Amino acid sequence: MFTIDVMLKLAPLPLSVQRKTEEDASALYGQIHEAMKSGTPQLLELTCDRQPEKKICVLTSEVCAVQISEKSGGATSGKQPGFFAALTQTEA
């Protein structure tokens, strides 16, 4: 399972949706990336493969970052994937 985290301006936590395949996750990442590059505000509706009833609509001009991470099936080490984990680990 792949998680796509979307950070919004002035929001303390990311919005997250999941995709079952790397191809689907990369496609969504690309769609968000292109919307950010366009500079034209538009609404983007996101759905989640893990929880199909979970939907969210964001204004692309408010998106400041997007990342993909893979959730492994093994035991977790207690570390969060991505940029926030790197900041936390360097501060400790």
Side-chain angles (χ1 to χ4, degrees):
M1 190 68 71
F2 293 84
T3 301
I4 298 91
D5 295 314
V6 179
M7 285 296 302
L8 301 178
K9 297 174 186 173
L10 303 176
L13 298 173
L15 304 173
S16 301
V17 294
Q18 294 180 322
R19 292 292 183 264
K20 294 178 183 174
T21 66
E22 184 175 8
E23 295 79 26
D24 290 345
S26 292
L28 179 56
Y29 174 90
Q31 180 183 4
I32 296 169
H33 182 257
E34 286 301 315
M36 290 170 66
K37 280 181 20 179
S38 76
T40 304
Q42 52 188 301
L43 290 175
L44 182 64
E45 184 174 305
L46 305 174
T47 58
C48 186
D49 284 358
R50 185 172 182 179
Q51 298 172 314
E53 69 282 355
K54 181 179 179 179
K55 295 180 183 181
I56 191 155
C57 192
V58 298
L59 186 60
T60 57
S61 62
E62 295 302 307
V63 175
C64 60
V66 62
Q67 76 171 1
I68 298 175
S69 59
E70 182 177 7
K71 181 179 178 183
S72 63
T76 61
S77 64
K79 296 180 183 176
Q80 294 291 325
F83 302 112
F84 297 111
L87 291 174
T88 303
Q89 292 170 6
T90 58
E91 293 173 1

